[in-house]
Amino acid sequence: MSRTGHPPPAGTPTAPGRRHTFRSVAPVLALCWLAVFFDGMDVNVYGAVMPHMLDDPGLGLTPGAAGSIGSWTTFGMLIGALGTGTLTDWLGRRPVLVTSVLLFSAGSAVCALAGSPALFGGGRFLAGLGLGGLMPICLSMVMEFAPPRRAALATGLLMTSYHAGGMFATGLGLGLAPALGWRWVFWAGVLPAVIAAPLLLRLLPESPGVLLAKGRTAEADAVADRYGMARPAPADAPAQGARGRLDAVRTLFAPGARRATPLLWLASFCGLLLVYGVSTWLPQMMRASGYGLTSSVSFLLIINAGGIAGMLVAGRIADRYGPVRVSALWFLLTAAGALLLGAHLPLGLTYAVVAVTGVWLFSAQVMVYAAADRVYPAAERATGIGWVTGIGRTGAVAGPWLGGTLAAAGNDQLGFTAFALAGLLGAVAIGLVPLARRAVSEAGRAAEAGEVKAGA
């Protein structure tokens, strides 16, 4: 099976009479879409109910503590992403994905029962462990099963579910929280354990590359044939055992990737700082800017709607012009949108700015993942993306913390400026990835030429 985004080598056997199309792999894409939907719901639910939690005297939550708790969530995601991105090649995609779903459902239940900020924060950390593991697995599955040269579009389609989940969470915040209280919104976060986990266990296939690595060649070929894919080749199989997992991490700094890897990490840091900072603090920042409570929470719904449109647009454009160019431009446009949101515009115009900012904000980060798919070979895809998302989670930790620190100091407006600067830095980092890879390639060719000359 060729690396996603490139056609299979000539002569690679495929299932007779079955083409590799979006329709042929629709069941896999749909299951991953469902899992990421609940991921988006859980991540956004905190921002959607935070104003209600701050107004609850029984909980005793302060703006500073709220920002710290948001960072605990993303710190759990950091650990989950780093660990899962490596373990999933060893243990298999399906069992680790189901475990991730059960973890963040359990964390949501703890939050619903919490009587103090400390216990609530513990629940968010537990949920973060599961959420951090889920995203790299779903991204790897979609990139592996996607039709050739359509990896960016498949990634964008997958991530529409994140924003659909975010919109659903906002709807829960607007509908349930005022009438029944914020705890009922977190009880809804237990649904993934009831709905998604059984479906994933029953219907999600294992990665053909992982099956081949475990010596289950017949099963690997059967899965590939069922979905119209090229059968996996030894180069697509991740190395097994502790030694193999260590070698996979070392590959991130192999000659073809050693300079691109830190740039991808930095771009992911900036992108996730924006995603989680905005998702957590946008309602409160807009409320501090003078908008009403209902309007402020509605902005979260609007920005996620823009995110869905942005994923579809960015994926199509990236498949044609490359994910690096799209990501860099989208980061720059996000910076401009953040600066505009800092100005107190008329309500109708503010809604429009929030919507178009959502178009750019979320897909800028997702195209970083699509760019990583072109840097790392198939056997190291899950590890590479896991580390890009994992290191990027430090930005997800910084975003909510930064928003909380500024809110506690009464400087909510500075948050828009900080987010604009993050967008600018993200554009520079992702824009340098092709230059870094080109420099390494030229250095390698020069070294080879020197060896040939010396040998002559």
Side-chain angles (χ1 to χ4, degrees):
M1 183 169 42
S2 66
R3 193 169 77 82
T4 301
H6 299 276
T12 302
T14 58
R18 188 166 178 83
R19 295 179 59 203
H20 187 190
T21 64
F22 274 117
R23 178 175 293 181
S24 71
V25 297
V28 177
L29 300 181
L31 288 167
C32 290
W33 195 98
L34 177 65
V36 177
F37 172 88
F38 285 118
D39 182 325
M41 184 187 82
D42 193 279
V43 167
N44 285 272
V45 76
Y46 184 40
V49 301
M50 185 187 295
H52 298 282
M53 295 176 66
L54 291 170
D55 291 341
D56 182 358
L59 183 63
L61 186 67
T62 65
S68 297
I69 288 173
S71 295
W72 296 351
T73 310
T74 49
F75 183 66
M77 291 179 179
L78 185 155
I79 297 174
L82 291 179
T84 302
T86 300
L87 290 176
T88 184
D89 282 337
W90 189 358
L91 303 177
R93 306 277 196 265
R94 184 169 54 191
V96 179
L97 180 57
V98 171
T99 300
S100 297
V101 170
L102 295 177
L103 273 176
F104 74 74
S105 293
S108 190
V110 172
C111 290
L113 295 169
S116 67
L119 184 57
F120 182 86
R124 293 305 291 163
F125 176 79
L126 180 61
L129 289 175
L131 293 168
L134 183 147
M135 188 64 73
I137 299 174
C138 288
L139 285 166
S140 298
M141 288 288 287
V142 165
M143 289 176 181
E144 181 175 5
F145 279 79
R149 293 193 177 92
R150 306 306 295 274
L153 178 58
T155 304
L157 288 170
L158 171 69
M159 294 305 294
T160 61
S161 62
Y162 177 92
H163 302 289
M167 293 173 67
F168 184 70
T170 306
L172 291 175
L174 290 170
L176 286 183
L180 301 176
W182 60 268
R183 295 181 187 276
W184 280 97
V185 180
F186 282 99
W187 279 121
V190 181
L191 289 175
V194 179
I195 298 175
L199 288 174
L200 293 169
L201 276 174
R202 181 176 177 83
L203 301 176
L204 185 70
E206 186 53 85
S207 155
V210 170
L211 289 172
L212 181 64
K214 293 179 176 292
R216 296 156 63 179
T217 305
E219 292 179 59
D221 291 345
V223 171
D225 292 349
R226 188 186 317 152
Y227 295 99
M229 305 161 64
R231 290 179 174 177
D236 299 318
Q240 295 295 290
R243 176 69 178 273
R245 296 298 82 224
L246 182 59
D247 288 343
V249 175
R250 289 173 177 163
T251 304
L252 305 184
F253 295 94
R258 66 164 61 107
R259 296 183 183 178
T261 290
L263 290 170
L264 289 169
W265 289 357
L266 179 57
S268 184
F269 169 87
C270 294
L272 288 174
L273 184 151
L274 286 164
V275 167
Y276 287 93
V278 170
S279 296
T280 302
W281 284 103
L282 181 63
Q284 188 63 22
M285 288 166 62
M286 299 305 282
R287 189 182 185 188
S289 296
Y291 297 95
L293 176 59
T294 300
S295 295
S296 297
V297 176
S298 298
F299 288 134
L300 199 59
L301 182 70
I302 297 298
I303 202 168
N304 276 286
I308 292 177
M311 293 298 171
L312 299 175
V313 172
R316 288 184 177 275
I317 297 175
D319 276 331
R320 182 172 182 179
Y321 296 105
V324 168
R325 293 178 181 177
V326 174
S327 183
L329 178 59
W330 261 230
F331 268 123
L332 290 174
L333 292 172
T334 299
L339 290 176
L340 283 174
L341 289 177
H344 192 85
L345 304 172
L347 184 60
L349 184 56
T350 301
Y351 275 122
V353 173
V354 168
V356 296
T357 301
V359 170
W360 306 317
L361 166 65
F362 300 102
S363 49
Q365 168 62 25
V366 172
M367 290 304 106
V368 174
Y369 301 144
D373 178 54
R374 301 198 177 187
V375 172
Y376 305 117
E380 280 77 44
R381 181 188 296 119
T383 299
I385 293 175
W387 278 78
V388 168
T389 58
I391 297 298
R393 295 295 181 186
T394 57
V397 172
W401 169 83
L402 178 61
T405 300
L406 293 174
N411 294 320
D412 301 79
Q413 289 294 105
L414 289 178
F416 295 110
T417 303
F419 292 146
L421 291 173
L424 180 60
L425 182 58
V428 172
I430 192 66
L432 289 175
V433 168
L435 296 177
R437 298 196 73 200
R438 192 177 303 127
V440 170
S441 298
E442 291 175 354
R445 286 194 294 268
E448 290 176 3
E451 291 176 1
V452 169
K453 186 175 181 180

